[in-house]
Amino acid sequence: MNAAANKDSSQFRVLIPEDRLQARVSELGEQIRRDFGDRPITCICVLKGSFIFTADLVRAVGGAIETEFLGVSSYHGGTQTSGVVQITKDLTTTIEDKDVIVIEDIIDTGLTMHYLMEMLAVRKPRSLSVCTLLDKPANREVEMVADYVGFSIPDEFVVGYGLDLGERYRNLPHIAVYTP
Ligand code: IMP
Ligand code: MG
C-alpha cells in the first residue's frame, strides 16, 4: 500500500460532486444513443478505473449493448504515469464489424488510449470511438481526442468514482482532488 493512501481526508477537495457527475453521465448516455440510433453498441470497459463509470453509462445509453472488459495496467501505485501499458485481461469476444466504444476513466498523457486504439483497430471494428469521463488535456504526450468527454479538468491528481490512489478511494461517489 502506498503510504500516501493512508493520509487523512483533509488532503481531498471535492472537484465534481455526485449530482453533477450523474447528470453528465445521463447526458453522455443520451448523446451516444442518439449518435448510434438503435444499432447495438459494444462498450469496452477499461479496468479498473472505469468500472463505476461504465456501470452507470451503459444504463444511461440503454438499448442494445454488449459490455466487454479489458484489463490494463499503466500506473504502478503512485501519481506519475510509467508510460508502460500492460494488458492484464483481454476481451472475451471478437469486435470485428462491431460499433465499439472504449470507456475510460481519464485521459492524461494519452499514452494508454493511444496504445489501446492501435491494438483494437487491427481487430477491424466497424467503428471505434472513445468515451472518457475525465480529460486532462494539459498533460498530453501524444495526440488523443476523445469522441465523448464528461469533464475537462486541470492537471491535478484526482480520485473517486472508480479512480484510485494506490488502489484506494475508488468507492467515493464524487471526484476529489488529491494534494500531496
Ligand atoms: P495516461 O496513459 O497518462 O493517459 O493515463 C492513463 C491512466 O492513468 C488512466 O486510465 C488512469 O487509470 C490513470 N490516471 C491518470 N491520471 C489519473 C488521476 O488523476 N487519478 C487517477 N488515475 C489517473
Ligand atoms: Mg484507467
Side-chain angles (χ1 to χ4, degrees), residues 7 22 37-38 60 63 82 114 121 125 140 172:
K7 297 258 174 75
Q22 294 299 335
D38 51 17
S82 64
H114 183 79
R140 284 294 195 286
L172 294 176

Side-chain angles (χ1 to χ4, degrees), residues 94-110:
T94 172
I95 56 168
E96 191 171 343
D97 287 331
K98 292 183 177 167
D99 286 309
V100 172
I101 303 180
V102 183
I103 304 177
E104 253 293 28
D105 51 355
I106 185 164
I107 300 180
D108 183 22
T109 62

Side-chain angles (χ1 to χ4, degrees), residues 38-59:
D38 51 17
R39 299 212 300 272
I41 302 170
T42 301
C43 286
I44 299 182
C45 169
V46 182
L47 296 172
K48 300 177 195 169
S50 73
F51 79 110
I52 292 179
F53 176 43
T54 300
D56 286 342
L57 186 69
V58 292
R59 287 178 287 181

Side-chain angles (χ1 to χ4, degrees), residues 14-173:
V14 176
L15 181 69
I16 308 170
E18 186 176 2
D19 57 343
R20 274 188 67 209
L21 266 181
Q22 294 299 335
R24 186 69 186 123
V25 172
S26 298
E27 283 175 5
L28 285 173
E30 285 163 20
Q31 187 187 347
I32 289 170
R33 190 35 89 197
R34 257 200 318 276
D35 290 354
F36 286 82
D38 51 17
R39 299 212 300 272
I41 302 170
T42 301
C43 286
I44 299 182
C45 169
V46 182
L47 296 172
K48 300 177 195 169
S50 73
F51 79 110
I52 292 179
F53 176 43
T54 300
D56 286 342
L57 186 69
V58 292
R59 287 178 287 181
V61 172
I65 298 227
E66 290 175 22
T67 310
E68 280 290 318
F69 297 87
L70 187 62
V72 168
S73 173
S74 52
Y75 261 38
H76 300 281
T79 60
Q80 295 294 306
T81 188
S82 64
V84 178
V85 180
Q86 193 190 345
I87 300 298
T88 57
K89 184 202 170 299
D90 205 344
L91 307 178
T92 58
T93 185
T94 172
I95 56 168
E96 191 171 343
D97 287 331
K98 292 183 177 167
D99 286 309
V100 172
I101 303 180
V102 183
I103 304 177
E104 253 293 28
D105 51 355
I106 185 164
I107 300 180
D108 183 22
T109 62
L111 291 169
T112 304
M113 192 48 82
H114 183 79
Y115 179 91
L116 293 183
M117 294 307 274
E118 290 199 332
M119 176 190 133
L120 295 171
V122 300
R123 301 184 187 186
K124 306 236 177 339
R126 174 180 168 182
S127 68
L128 185 58
S129 320
V130 175
C131 176
T132 187
L133 177 68
L134 305 174
D135 190 12
K136 279 200 262 190
N139 211 24
R140 284 294 195 286
E141 290 180 23
V142 289
E143 198 189 322
M144 177 50 62
V145 180
D147 302 273
Y148 304 95
V149 177
F151 301 88
S152 198
I153 63 167
D155 187 15
E156 293 181 290
F157 195 82
V158 291
V159 296
Y161 198 66
L163 290 99
D164 74 308
L165 171 61
E167 291 303 328
R168 287 188 59 188
Y169 311 113
R170 294 191 196 275
N171 57 336
L172 294 176

